[in-house]
Amino acid sequence: MAFYSEELIEEVRSRNDIVDVISGYVRLQKKGSRYFGLCPFHNEKTPSFSVSPGNQLYYCFGCGAGGTVLTFVMKYENVTFTEAMQRLAGRAGVALPEREMSKEQRERADRRAKLLEINREAAKYFYTLLRDPRGKHALEYFQKRELTAQTMQHFGLGYSAKYGNNLYQYLKKLGYADDLLKDSGLVTIDEVRGGYDKFWNRAMFPIMDVNHRVIGFGGRVMGDGEPKYLNSPETMIFDKSRNLYGLNFARSSRRPGILLCEGYMDVIALHQAGFDNAVASLGTSFTSGHASLLKRYTKEVYLTFDSDGAGVRAALRAIPILKEAGLVAKVIDMQPHKDPDEFIRALGAQEYQKRIDAAENSFLFEIRMLEREYDLSDPEGKTAFFRKVSARLLEFREPLERENYIEAITRHYQIGFEQLRSMVNRAGAREGIAAEDRPQPVSGRRHRKKDDGMKQSQRLLLRWLVEEPSLFDVVGAYITPEDFTVELYRQAAQALYEQHSRGELNPARIVSLFPGEEQQREVAGLFQAGIQLPEDARDRQKALTETVRRVKQNSMEVRSKQLDPTDIAGLQRLIEERKSLAKLHIYID
């Protein structure tokens, strides 16, 4: 984002009317001053997705998605901020500056481009061979796996010839030098044997990046050769830990979440069955790089690994990596079949969808796998199991979340709630978990309710100021940005007040000031979601007076707790503010 100035970002945003852009993706109907349609980011039957031409913001009252036209394009198209800027700038005819490259950077970029060319040519060569008599065995293999001609074309499947230098000779005729071919990972250059292919007599799976560019290959041997599966080595354009097979298609899926598989054929079978949100790692274990990549496109990952011991171990390794990245993980049960490919061929897409719907919470899956290590019919084994479960429950630092999991486990294993909670608290004491991190009593929940109510009051006030800028004249006499005690709301209020002082009001520009997607989403929600001020004059005055009083009262309570007792001037100001607040009554037309 730093590459473009704030002024240029605002120019691109302002020259792309949000209603016009989103109408190209979502069918919108005008209702009052806004447009509504079915949210493209979650499944719904009743439209809750709103687009405001006045604020140039969108917001979904169902899932909370919200932001500017740039945010929408990034989220819908699954592209980076820079890519969204380029698309919208092109649409509006805005010229974006080009970065100057050094000689080394230009040479590196040229080499990358050449390697991408070589991989593209290799993919075309393998694709043609599959449909040639020489590719008969590979074609029969794919057909035996019940792949249609359309699916084979969609994934660019191919075949590498039996003889060891066919591809090398083909690429040499196209004019590519040996050093480039060696760096492509497709060819080995030997002083004695010359150039020969890495892949031969294999069914070929082109591996593409998210922009549909071929960056490597996977190959399954035809016959009894070894290794059974072979992948391209890592190159300048192919990093196995930062790419996923099928993500170039899955990133644009409208299905919720991502299905994470183990093998290429699993991905292809699922896509053919209509589950176009399936991906797989590239012959390596799942890594934090993969998790970071997935986080760009989803918040929920369904693990659909093999049902054997190796698949279970792979799932247990992947779950903490996904959690660390902030992703929700669920586990799909493939029993009685080995993998998604076998499951789909045996039971079909409808039954697989039922398995997705019944996917198991990843923590409860981990506990169920942990159970296998203990003899629960033996009192000692059962006690040891629940001690281990108690220690695992301490992973949840949020008290409410921890209590929810305690409740789920007690329900499944028929142990008393208070018994297990006491074990968890004792485990926490042994490990030094602070008291504030433990489950809170009922009084703590009441305190959270009060906090939630105060946040709602601050949100309402910001919404009303955006909807009716004339309210600044009356509200500004009592409320300043510092009275918004939630940090994000305070920052939004500061920007809003500054805009008003300059005689402008541009909520979309305020949203763009926040760097993170989650922050932009929440700020967009501030300016879009909430209760409208009543139309009746007396009700309007009452609602506004009570909301301003709550916000100001809370602000004074917070400042009072932070005030140094020796600060006489500060104490005097608070006393004066309390007197003024007691007489507060806002009059508006």
Side-chain angles (χ1 to χ4, degrees), residues 167-181:
L167 177 64
Y168 172 68
Q169 294 297 336
Y170 173 76
L171 293 172
K172 284 292 287 183
K173 286 178 183 177
L174 293 178
Y176 295 108
D178 280 357
D179 65 320
L180 265 172
L181 294 177

Side-chain angles (χ1 to χ4, degrees), residues 77-97:
E77 297 285 357
N78 287 328
V79 296
T80 64
F81 173 79
T82 301
E83 290 169 328
M85 275 287 287
Q86 289 168 347
R87 294 185 187 199
L88 290 173
R91 182 181 184 275
V94 177
L96 296 179

Side-chain angles (χ1 to χ4, degrees), residues 21-28 36-40 49 72 76:
V21 172
I22 293 181
S23 292
Y25 301 91
V26 180
R27 184 181 177 185
L28 298 174
F36 285 83
L38 294 174
C39 180
F49 180 81
F72 179 87
Y76 190 96

Side-chain angles (χ1 to χ4, degrees), residues 131 142-143 145-154 157 268 272:
R131 289 140 187 92
F142 287 132
Q143 289 170 341
R145 302 297 289 265
E146 299 182 12
L147 299 187
T148 66
Q150 183 180 0
T151 297
M152 287 186 263
Q153 180 182 9
H154 184 64
L157 303 182
I268 295 170
Q272 181 170 276

Side-chain angles (χ1 to χ4, degrees), residues 575-587:
I575 292 169
E576 293 300 322
E577 285 182 12
R578 286 197 179 98
K579 288 179 182 177
S580 175
L581 189 64
K583 301 174 186 177
L584 174 68
H585 188 85
I586 294 177
Y587 296 92

Side-chain angles (χ1 to χ4, degrees), residues 17-203:
D17 179 76
I18 195 165
V19 175
D20 287 346
V21 172
I22 293 181
S23 292
Y25 301 91
V26 180
R27 184 181 177 185
L28 298 174
Q29 288 187 318
K30 191 173 185 182
K31 293 182 182 178
S33 62
R34 298 188 189 185
Y35 292 79
F36 285 83
L38 294 174
C39 180
F41 305 123
H42 81 288
N43 293 325
E44 63 175 9
K45 295 181 180 178
T46 304
S48 62
F49 180 81
S50 73
V51 183
S52 171
N55 293 340
Q56 287 292 296
L57 296 172
Y58 71 91
Y59 186 76
C60 176
F61 293 92
C63 69
T68 66
V69 67
L70 278 159
T71 316
F72 179 87
V73 171
M74 287 170 65
K75 189 172 180 65
Y76 190 96
E77 297 285 357
N78 287 328
V79 296
T80 64
F81 173 79
T82 301
E83 290 169 328
M85 275 287 287
Q86 289 168 347
R87 294 185 187 199
L88 290 173
R91 182 181 184 275
V94 177
L96 296 179
E98 294 184 9
R99 280 179 281 192
E100 287 293 323
M101 289 192 290
S102 66
K103 181 183 176 183
E104 292 77 13
Q105 288 174 325
R106 194 176 299 110
E107 288 174 352
R108 185 173 175 82
D110 289 345
R111 196 165 191 82
R112 283 180 60 87
K114 287 289 185 185
L115 292 176
L116 287 168
E117 277 181 21
I118 290 171
N119 275 267
R120 185 176 68 245
E121 291 297 339
K124 287 160 60 177
Y125 179 77
F126 294 144
Y127 181 89
T128 302
L129 272 186
L130 180 67
R131 289 140 187 92
D132 184 274
R134 289 171 289 177
K136 179 184 175 183
H137 294 306
L139 184 61
E140 288 175 349
Y141 166 76
F142 287 132
Q143 289 170 341
K144 188 177 179 182
R145 302 297 289 265
E146 299 182 12
L147 299 187
T148 66
Q150 183 180 0
T151 297
M152 287 186 263
Q153 180 182 9
H154 184 64
F155 282 91
L157 303 182
Y159 171 69
S160 55
K162 280 188 176 182
Y163 302 104
N165 68 349
N166 285 29
L167 177 64
Y168 172 68
Q169 294 297 336
Y170 173 76
L171 293 172
K172 284 292 287 183
K173 286 178 183 177
L174 293 178
Y176 295 108
D178 280 357
D179 65 320
L180 265 172
L181 294 177
K182 183 180 179 181
D183 287 351
S184 73
L186 289 165
V187 171
T188 298
I189 305 296
D190 187 285
E191 289 184 6
V192 178
R193 295 175 58 189
Y196 58 95
D197 304 343
K198 285 276 179 73
F199 297 96
W200 51 276
N201 195 30
R202 290 179 181 271

